[in-house]
Amino acid sequence: MSERDLDVVVFGATGVTGRRVAAYLAERATADPKLRWAAAARDETKLERTLAEVGVRAPETIAADISSPPSLTALAARAKVVLDLVGPYTLYGRPMIQACIAEGAHYVDLTGELPFVRQTIADFDGPAKAAGVKIVQVCGFEALPPDLLVALVAAQARERHGEALAAVDVEVTISSPPGLPRPSDGVSGGTFQSLAAVAGAEDAAVITDPAVLVADDAGFAADVRRLSPIPLAPRRSADGAVLAPMAPAAFINPGVIHRSNLLLAQAAGRPPEAFRYREAIALRGGVVSLPVRLAAAGALSATQAGVRSLAHARPALRGSLAGALARFGPSSGFGPAADRLENWGWQMCAIGHTSSGRESVARLEADGHPGYLATARLLGETGILLAEDGATPTVAGCLTPAAALGLQALERFRHARLRFSGES
């Protein structure tokens, strides 16, 4: 890879998140002129115009199209890392993964489409290992921050107490900019289309399985299912916060985090030990706002229960509903306005307990819209890390963010406005 002329290529840089990834790489290249990056899309003219709209001039633009395998091969042959933002990935992700493995480039995407991730592992884990390539998926707000945070808590428990985790809880608190919220502040068109693609997938029901991304060997998957079912009902925290299921879907992070637990144990040469994982959005406020917070949590819970029911519906009904969602929902170009990306703040707290009751805590503070601006920065920094020799563990295959990047990468995410902290 040292002979390649590009460190990172953003494929799909005309999209809502893709243009923000390009902006982040341009910002990082200003501080580090040695960073060689390029932007790629199907239409170079549109690409240059789109980037100009957000004040970005890419050092190079590349024409590449999912329907043209030679263009993907040529792109992957030049890059150390390809950041793929062309979704829904169930429909469009496979050709770029194949090109990266064939040409020896690392691959990173933002998919939350777990049936697609599961199939990617089944089809490409072996070939990626043989090629020395990292295939790193679910690498945005879902699921990089909680994945690394839980890995940090688990490492602290082993170092301080000599024990594995028995349970870990992650709570997310989000503060939005002043003013009335807008529909585009929430789920973008790209995310909505991904949800529709998942709902229409042949094996959609697997999304409700917390062990969806781990193999059924040595009883580990069975232990995950027994200890860590995915809860959807609202609940209350010890400090009085109303805890709602994670948005946009409660079924994304658990599978990734349990796979990280397995991969990190294998890398350390020890048997994996399953733990209970729970996550929630914490809605905090006073007594006056309690009914509103309970109603919001109830609405999120009902929505997630609807997703679960749809995933288990008869194939014909599920296909029809998924098709209707894709046709009548927002398109991939719909997303938050530029003036609604800054002035967000969010925090994550992970509290782990060992079987003997010993506690381990880690925290994260971050800036920027979590689903779009922060996600773009996360993806961009991940690409820079993977392109740098020795910056990440020397492992290959279909990996989670925590397994691919390792805890040594935590400090680097300060560039992306994420600040991790463990116990002092």
Side-chain angles (χ1 to χ4, degrees):
M1 284 195 184
S2 60
E3 299 175 356
R4 300 179 184 227
D5 64 319
L6 293 171
D7 295 313
V8 184
V9 174
V10 186
F11 178 48
T14 56
V16 171
T17 306
R19 68 191 72 175
R20 298 294 165 188
V21 178
Y24 180 75
L25 292 175
E27 174 190 323
R28 292 283 278 117
T30 300
D32 181 9
K34 293 184 294 183
L35 175 62
R36 303 164 303 167
W37 72 279
R42 180 174 52 188
D43 184 335
E44 279 192 86
T45 301
K46 179 182 177 182
L47 173 58
E48 292 172 357
R49 183 176 66 250
T50 299
L51 293 183
E53 290 172 358
V54 293
V56 174
R57 183 181 179 87
E60 181 180 350
T61 57
I62 300 171
D65 190 344
I66 288 296
S67 64
S68 171
S71 71
L72 303 183
T73 299
L75 186 157
R78 295 183 58 194
K80 291 184 179 181
V81 183
V82 174
L83 306 179
D84 186 1
L85 290 107
V86 180
Y89 295 94
T90 299
L91 302 178
Y92 306 121
R94 190 178 181 93
M96 191 74 253
I97 293 174
Q98 291 174 312
C100 285
I101 293 174
E103 297 301 323
H106 299 313
Y107 169 94
V108 188
D109 69 29
L110 294 176
T111 186
E113 301 157 40
L114 292 193
F116 172 68
V117 178
R118 178 185 174 97
Q119 193 61 50
T120 298
I121 294 168
D123 293 345
F124 297 119
D125 188 46
K129 286 178 179 175
V133 165
K134 294 182 181 182
I135 306 298
V136 192
Q137 298 182 280
V138 203
C139 209
F141 179 72
E142 304 92 12
L144 186 150
D147 195 29
L148 285 173
L149 204 61
V150 171
L152 177 57
V153 166
Q156 288 177 166
R158 288 190 176 278
E159 291 169 4
R160 292 174 175 270
H161 312 307
E163 297 180 77
L165 290 178
V168 59
D169 286 85
V170 170
E171 293 182 10
V172 184
T173 305
I174 301 173
S175 58
S176 60
L180 293 174
R182 304 176 190 174
S184 59
D185 286 348
V187 176
S188 75
T191 300
F192 191 91
Q193 292 297 323
S194 288
L195 291 173
V198 169
E202 183 178 346
D203 54 349
V206 302
I207 68 169
T208 62
D209 178 8
V212 58
L213 303 182
V214 300
D216 284 300
D217 57 345
F220 179 71
D223 288 343
V224 168
R225 295 184 181 106
R226 175 175 55 84
L227 294 171
S228 194
I230 300 173
L232 299 181
R235 49 195 171 88
R236 299 290 296 275
S237 68
D239 65 358
V242 175
L243 301 181
M246 190 67 71
F251 309 108
I252 299 174
N253 294 334
V256 175
I257 285 162
H258 291 304
R259 179 166 174 78
S260 283
N261 184 23
L262 173 66
L263 293 177
L264 293 171
Q266 291 173 341
R270 51 179 168 78
E273 299 177 64
F275 52 70
R276 187 209 70 197
Y277 173 74
R278 293 190 303 184
E279 63 180 14
I281 298 175
L283 306 177
R284 292 188 162 83
V287 175
V288 174
S289 68
L290 181 59
V292 175
R293 290 183 286 129
L294 287 171
L300 280 170
S301 180
T303 300
Q304 304 283 3
V307 171
R308 180 174 59 192
S309 297
L310 179 58
H312 288 271
R314 298 192 313 274
L317 174 61
R318 186 162 38 78
S320 297
L321 290 173
L325 287 173
R327 286 193 303 274
F328 298 112
S331 66
S332 295
F334 176 81
D339 64 344
R340 296 290 292 178
L341 291 174
E342 300 285 359
N343 301 318
W344 292 73
W346 48 282
Q347 302 82 40
M348 284 187 180
C349 178
I351 302 176
H353 291 92
T354 67
S355 57
S356 67
R358 295 175 182 269
E359 186 174 277
S360 179
V361 180
R363 292 180 172 83
L364 165 64
E365 294 186 0
D367 307 319
H369 190 296
Y372 303 102
L373 186 55
T375 283
R377 292 167 175 166
L378 286 171
L379 194 71
E381 194 62 36
T382 296
I384 295 170
L385 278 161
L386 292 178
E388 183 179 320
D389 291 342
T392 59
T394 54
V395 292
C398 293
L399 305 170
T400 58
L405 301 175
L407 296 180
Q408 65 266 40
L410 292 180
E411 190 64 23
R412 288 284 293 273
F413 282 102
R414 286 184 175 271
H415 292 295
R417 285 72 153 180
L418 273 76
R419 300 167 291 280
F420 290 89
S421 60
E423 295 173 326
S424 60

